[in-house]
mmCIF file of all heavy atoms in Angstrom:
data_model
loop_
_atom_site.group_PDB
_atom_site.id
_atom_site.type_symbol
_atom_site.label_atom_id
_atom_site.label_comp_id
_atom_site.label_asym_id
_atom_site.label_seq_id
_atom_site.Cartn_x
_atom_site.Cartn_y
_atom_site.Cartn_z
ATOM 1 N N ALA M 172 87.856 155.110 183.347
ATOM 2 C CA ALA M 172 88.636 156.105 182.615
ATOM 3 C C ALA M 172 87.825 157.391 182.448
ATOM 4 O O ALA M 172 88.327 158.497 182.570
ATOM 5 C CB ALA M 172 88.995 155.539 181.253
ATOM 6 N N LEU M 173 86.496 157.291 182.174
ATOM 7 C CA LEU M 173 85.657 158.434 182.035
ATOM 8 C C LEU M 173 85.304 159.125 183.322
ATOM 9 O O LEU M 173 85.279 160.347 183.433
ATOM 10 C CB LEU M 173 84.383 158.078 181.267
ATOM 11 C CG LEU M 173 84.557 157.666 179.795
ATOM 12 C CD1 LEU M 173 83.208 157.260 179.186
ATOM 13 C CD2 LEU M 173 85.126 158.845 178.987
ATOM 14 N N SER M 174 84.998 158.329 184.352
ATOM 15 C CA SER M 174 84.552 158.893 185.605
ATOM 16 C C SER M 174 85.647 159.320 186.542
ATOM 17 O O SER M 174 85.498 160.295 187.273
ATOM 18 C CB SER M 174 83.602 157.932 186.331
ATOM 19 O OG SER M 174 84.292 156.725 186.573
ATOM 20 N N GLU M 175 86.786 158.588 186.522
ATOM 21 C CA GLU M 175 87.841 158.833 187.474
ATOM 22 C C GLU M 175 89.164 159.278 186.821
ATOM 23 O O GLU M 175 90.065 159.731 187.461
ATOM 24 C CB GLU M 175 88.173 157.576 188.308
ATOM 25 C CG GLU M 175 86.932 157.072 189.038
ATOM 26 C CD GLU M 175 87.237 155.738 189.757
ATOM 27 O OE1 GLU M 175 88.462 155.475 190.046
ATOM 28 O OE2 GLU M 175 86.361 154.926 189.976
ATOM 29 N N GLY M 176 89.221 159.151 185.508
ATOM 30 C CA GLY M 176 90.460 159.497 184.756
ATOM 31 C C GLY M 176 91.585 158.546 185.052
ATOM 32 O O GLY M 176 92.738 158.844 184.890
ATOM 33 N N THR M 534 76.577 157.769 175.160
ATOM 34 C CA THR M 534 76.850 157.545 176.574
ATOM 35 C C THR M 534 76.670 158.887 177.335
ATOM 36 O O THR M 534 76.063 158.881 178.402
ATOM 37 C CB THR M 534 78.297 157.053 176.764
ATOM 38 O OG1 THR M 534 78.438 155.804 176.088
ATOM 39 C CG2 THR M 534 78.634 156.915 178.205
ATOM 40 N N VAL M 535 77.204 159.954 176.768
ATOM 41 C CA VAL M 535 77.015 161.264 177.438
ATOM 42 C C VAL M 535 75.532 161.663 177.522
ATOM 43 O O VAL M 535 74.997 162.129 178.476
ATOM 44 C CB VAL M 535 77.821 162.339 176.678
ATOM 45 C CG1 VAL M 535 77.477 163.739 177.229
ATOM 46 C CG2 VAL M 535 79.325 162.050 176.842
ATOM 47 N N ALA M 538 73.867 159.703 180.289
ATOM 48 C CA ALA M 538 74.280 160.098 181.638
ATOM 49 C C ALA M 538 73.868 161.503 182.030
ATOM 50 O O ALA M 538 73.661 161.804 183.229
ATOM 51 C CB ALA M 538 75.813 159.953 181.739
ATOM 52 N N ALA M 539 73.722 162.409 181.056
ATOM 53 C CA ALA M 539 73.490 163.822 181.352
ATOM 54 C C ALA M 539 72.269 164.095 182.192
ATOM 55 O O ALA M 539 72.308 164.914 183.128
ATOM 56 C CB ALA M 539 73.444 164.627 180.019
ATOM 57 N N PRO M 540 71.096 163.503 181.965
ATOM 58 C CA PRO M 540 69.914 163.827 182.791
ATOM 59 C C PRO M 540 70.065 163.475 184.270
ATOM 60 O O PRO M 540 69.257 163.966 185.055
ATOM 61 C CB PRO M 540 68.826 163.007 182.085
ATOM 62 C CG PRO M 540 69.300 162.700 180.733
ATOM 63 C CD PRO M 540 70.777 162.556 180.877
ATOM 64 N N HIS M 541 71.047 162.647 184.699
ATOM 65 C CA HIS M 541 71.107 162.144 186.025
ATOM 66 C C HIS M 541 72.226 162.849 186.836
ATOM 67 O O HIS M 541 72.474 162.379 187.952
ATOM 68 C CB HIS M 541 71.360 160.640 185.989
ATOM 69 C CG HIS M 541 70.370 159.858 185.159
ATOM 70 N ND1 HIS M 541 69.075 159.720 185.473
ATOM 71 C CD2 HIS M 541 70.589 159.271 183.976
ATOM 72 C CE1 HIS M 541 68.482 158.961 184.552
ATOM 73 N NE2 HIS M 541 69.375 158.707 183.615
ATOM 74 N N GLN M 542 72.827 163.904 186.331
ATOM 75 C CA GLN M 542 73.944 164.513 187.043
ATOM 76 C C GLN M 542 73.524 165.144 188.347
ATOM 77 O O GLN M 542 74.225 165.076 189.358
ATOM 78 C CB GLN M 542 74.616 165.525 186.154
ATOM 79 C CG GLN M 542 75.243 164.892 184.887
ATOM 80 C CD GLN M 542 76.173 163.755 185.210
ATOM 81 O OE1 GLN M 542 77.181 163.923 185.875
ATOM 82 N NE2 GLN M 542 75.798 162.537 184.794
ATOM 83 N N TRP M 543 72.363 165.809 188.391
ATOM 84 C CA TRP M 543 71.947 166.443 189.634
ATOM 85 C C TRP M 543 71.691 165.409 190.689
ATOM 86 O O TRP M 543 72.035 165.579 191.901
ATOM 87 C CB TRP M 543 70.697 167.299 189.364
ATOM 88 C CG TRP M 543 70.269 168.111 190.554
ATOM 89 C CD1 TRP M 543 69.363 167.750 191.529
ATOM 90 C CD2 TRP M 543 70.740 169.405 190.944
ATOM 91 N NE1 TRP M 543 69.221 168.719 192.470
ATOM 92 C CE2 TRP M 543 70.069 169.772 192.126
ATOM 93 C CE3 TRP M 543 71.667 170.306 190.355
ATOM 94 C CZ2 TRP M 543 70.287 170.994 192.729
ATOM 95 C CZ3 TRP M 543 71.829 171.507 191.010
ATOM 96 C CH2 TRP M 543 71.169 171.843 192.161
ATOM 97 N N ARG M 545 73.001 162.606 191.022
ATOM 98 C CA ARG M 545 74.246 161.933 191.425
ATOM 99 C C ARG M 545 75.177 162.882 192.163
ATOM 100 O O ARG M 545 76.319 162.537 192.451
ATOM 101 C CB ARG M 545 74.934 161.386 190.184
ATOM 102 C CG ARG M 545 74.157 160.264 189.517
ATOM 103 C CD ARG M 545 74.759 159.809 188.218
ATOM 104 N NE ARG M 545 73.920 158.784 187.556
ATOM 105 C CZ ARG M 545 74.125 158.298 186.329
ATOM 106 N NH1 ARG M 545 75.166 158.725 185.639
ATOM 107 N NH2 ARG M 545 73.351 157.392 185.801
ATOM 108 N N GLY M 546 74.734 164.099 192.469
ATOM 109 C CA GLY M 546 75.485 165.031 193.245
ATOM 110 C C GLY M 546 76.498 165.857 192.501
ATOM 111 O O GLY M 546 77.336 166.508 193.087
ATOM 112 N N ARG M 547 76.481 165.805 191.194
ATOM 113 C CA ARG M 547 77.391 166.621 190.429
ATOM 114 C C ARG M 547 76.916 168.034 190.326
ATOM 115 O O ARG M 547 75.831 168.318 189.829
ATOM 116 C CB ARG M 547 77.558 166.024 189.035
ATOM 117 C CG ARG M 547 78.420 166.847 188.073
ATOM 118 C CD ARG M 547 79.826 166.951 188.512
ATOM 119 N NE ARG M 547 80.562 165.661 188.394
ATOM 120 C CZ ARG M 547 81.794 165.467 188.777
ATOM 121 N NH1 ARG M 547 82.489 166.473 189.323
ATOM 122 N NH2 ARG M 547 82.325 164.273 188.670
ATOM 123 N N ARG M 548 77.668 169.040 190.898
ATOM 124 C CA ARG M 548 77.298 170.430 190.876
ATOM 125 C C ARG M 548 78.220 171.273 190.009
ATOM 126 O O ARG M 548 77.902 172.409 189.733
ATOM 127 C CB ARG M 548 77.321 170.931 192.327
ATOM 128 C CG ARG M 548 76.376 170.217 193.241
ATOM 129 C CD ARG M 548 74.873 170.474 192.863
ATOM 130 N NE ARG M 548 73.995 169.875 193.821
ATOM 131 C CZ ARG M 548 73.516 168.655 193.716
ATOM 132 N NH1 ARG M 548 73.872 167.918 192.703
ATOM 133 N NH2 ARG M 548 72.689 168.158 194.657
ATOM 134 N N GLY M 549 79.388 170.726 189.667
ATOM 135 C CA GLY M 549 80.348 171.527 188.904
ATOM 136 C C GLY M 549 80.622 170.886 187.563
ATOM 137 O O GLY M 549 79.820 170.063 187.074
ATOM 138 N N PRO M 550 81.797 171.209 186.990
ATOM 139 C CA PRO M 550 82.152 170.663 185.716
ATOM 140 C C PRO M 550 82.362 169.144 185.839
ATOM 141 O O PRO M 550 82.657 168.624 186.917
ATOM 142 C CB PRO M 550 83.457 171.377 185.364
ATOM 143 C CG PRO M 550 83.441 172.608 186.201
ATOM 144 C CD PRO M 550 82.717 172.227 187.437
ATOM 145 N N GLY M 551 82.340 168.499 184.741
ATOM 146 C CA GLY M 551 82.556 167.073 184.715
ATOM 147 C C GLY M 551 81.291 166.264 184.549
ATOM 148 O O GLY M 551 80.184 166.829 184.466
ATOM 149 N N LEU M 552 81.450 164.993 184.541
ATOM 150 C CA LEU M 552 80.298 164.115 184.269
ATOM 151 C C LEU M 552 80.497 162.814 185.075
ATOM 152 O O LEU M 552 81.567 162.206 185.042
ATOM 153 C CB LEU M 552 80.253 163.795 182.738
ATOM 154 C CG LEU M 552 78.951 163.136 182.249
ATOM 155 C CD1 LEU M 552 77.787 164.104 182.275
ATOM 156 C CD2 LEU M 552 79.175 162.639 180.826
ATOM 157 N N VAL M 553 79.438 162.420 185.791
ATOM 158 C CA VAL M 553 79.456 161.200 186.530
ATOM 159 C C VAL M 553 78.832 160.094 185.584
ATOM 160 O O VAL M 553 77.658 160.222 185.271
ATOM 161 C CB VAL M 553 78.685 161.284 187.821
ATOM 162 C CG1 VAL M 553 78.649 159.918 188.547
ATOM 163 C CG2 VAL M 553 79.269 162.334 188.738
ATOM 164 N N VAL M 554 79.605 159.126 185.235
ATOM 165 C CA VAL M 554 79.165 158.071 184.335
ATOM 166 C C VAL M 554 79.078 156.778 185.094
ATOM 167 O O VAL M 554 80.079 156.401 185.770
ATOM 168 C CB VAL M 554 80.083 157.920 183.146
ATOM 169 C CG1 VAL M 554 79.596 156.818 182.186
ATOM 170 C CG2 VAL M 554 80.157 159.268 182.387
ATOM 171 N N ARG M 555 77.993 156.095 185.023
ATOM 172 C CA ARG M 555 77.830 154.763 185.625
ATOM 173 C C ARG M 555 77.675 153.751 184.524
ATOM 174 O O ARG M 555 77.456 154.060 183.359
ATOM 175 C CB ARG M 555 76.665 154.785 186.574
ATOM 176 C CG ARG M 555 76.823 155.700 187.783
ATOM 177 C CD ARG M 555 75.631 155.705 188.738
ATOM 178 N NE ARG M 555 75.842 156.523 189.877
ATOM 179 C CZ ARG M 555 74.953 156.806 190.763
ATOM 180 N NH1 ARG M 555 73.704 156.307 190.687
ATOM 181 N NH2 ARG M 555 75.231 157.596 191.801
ATOM 182 N N ASP M 558 74.880 153.811 182.060
ATOM 183 C CA ASP M 558 74.873 154.833 181.036
ATOM 184 C C ASP M 558 75.661 154.464 179.776
ATOM 185 O O ASP M 558 75.484 155.068 178.738
ATOM 186 C CB ASP M 558 75.505 156.105 181.574
ATOM 187 C CG ASP M 558 74.765 156.601 182.827
ATOM 188 O OD1 ASP M 558 73.559 156.419 182.911
ATOM 189 O OD2 ASP M 558 75.450 157.136 183.731
#
Side-chain angles (χ1 to χ4, degrees):
L173 291 177
S174 59
E175 304 175 24
T534 299
V535 172
H541 308 290
Q542 296 306 297
W543 184 268
R545 295 173 183 174
R547 175 64 68 183
R548 299 293 185 269
L552 192 69
V553 177
V554 179
R555 295 180 178 173
D558 303 326

